[in-house]
Amino acid sequence: LSSYWNVKVKPIKERTTKSFFIGNIGGEKRKPLYKRKDCIEGSIDTQLYFDKLSDTIFSLSPEGSDWGTNRLYESIHCGAIPVYISDVHWCPFSEIIDWSKFCICIKWDQLDQLEDIIKNVDPDKMQIEGQKIKHMFSPEYTYSYITNYLSNIQ
């Protein structure tokens, strides 16, 4: 977490990588990712990963072993636009933030259409919107949110 917390966010126009993913296959669903030139199976040093993410416009963020993925938060903090790939999109704080302003959500069967999908978004605007809400994924905000939520359950 601390590795990306204070990352200097580069504007979209200064980034040199259009899209990127590195990770383990983690099941049958992820296999189509590795047919793409921008996806690498395996892992890299943590600092190198965040440096690469900080130079990427669209961060491919497939679901993990469950519906969520830490790549959403890592992408937002590094100023990349997360492309959340899942058949079920679980987006935290969705009752108070509009994820469509800073994240692209697609289903697995839309992966082949990704190039057309990203042509129709404004990454500069999405990056700005993501930076407005990135504080919500800090441990302090999350703790406060959960505490307030639980105290209001009747």
Side-chain angles (χ1 to χ4, degrees):
L1 182 67
S2 62
S3 297
Y4 67 80
W5 205 252
N6 294 311
V7 168
K8 182 180 182 308
V9 174
K10 288 175 24 178
I12 294 294
K13 64 182 163 278
E14 294 178 17
R15 293 171 180 245
T16 61
T17 303
K18 183 176 181 180
S19 57
F20 169 72
F21 169 77
I22 188 165
N24 297 315
I25 288 181
E28 290 296 314
K29 284 188 175 183
R30 283 189 177 181
K31 283 187 178 180
L33 279 174
Y34 300 106
K35 295 177 185 172
R36 299 179 54 91
K37 293 177 184 173
D38 53 2
C39 296
I40 303 165
E41 183 181 358
S43 62
I44 56 176
D45 171 76
T46 302
Q47 190 57 54
L48 184 59
Y49 169 73
F50 288 118
D51 290 347
K52 181 71 173 170
L53 199 53
S54 297
D55 194 43
T56 298
I57 298 171
F58 297 99
S59 169
L60 304 183
S61 305
E63 64 186 307
S65 57
D66 55 22
W67 296 331
T69 173
N70 288 336
R71 284 178 183 83
L72 292 175
Y73 321 121
E74 295 165 352
S75 300
I76 293 165
H77 278 276
C78 291
I81 311 307
V83 178
Y84 185 11
I85 308 166
S86 178
D87 289 332
V88 178
H89 294 104
W90 181 81
C91 299
F93 311 118
S94 59
E95 68 281 355
I96 56 176
I97 58 176
D98 180 357
W99 278 76
S100 68
K101 290 183 177 182
F102 57 88
C103 179
I104 298 169
C105 293
I106 65 171
K107 295 185 181 229
W108 284 104
D109 63 4
Q110 295 176 288
L111 190 58
D112 291 338
Q113 303 161 29
L114 183 58
E115 296 307 314
D116 291 331
I117 292 169
I118 62 178
K119 285 179 189 174
N120 293 311
V121 300
D122 181 346
D124 295 296
K125 186 176 179 181
M126 292 182 85
Q127 183 187 54
I128 291 167
E129 293 298 321
Q131 293 305 291
K132 287 179 185 177
I133 55 85
K134 79 177 187 178
H135 71 281
M136 296 178 80
F137 302 105
S138 69
E140 297 82 11
Y141 186 91
T142 302
Y143 175 79
S144 172
Y145 175 84
I146 292 170
T147 302
N148 288 335
Y149 180 83
L150 293 174
S151 68
N152 289 319
I153 294 177
Q154 306 272 333

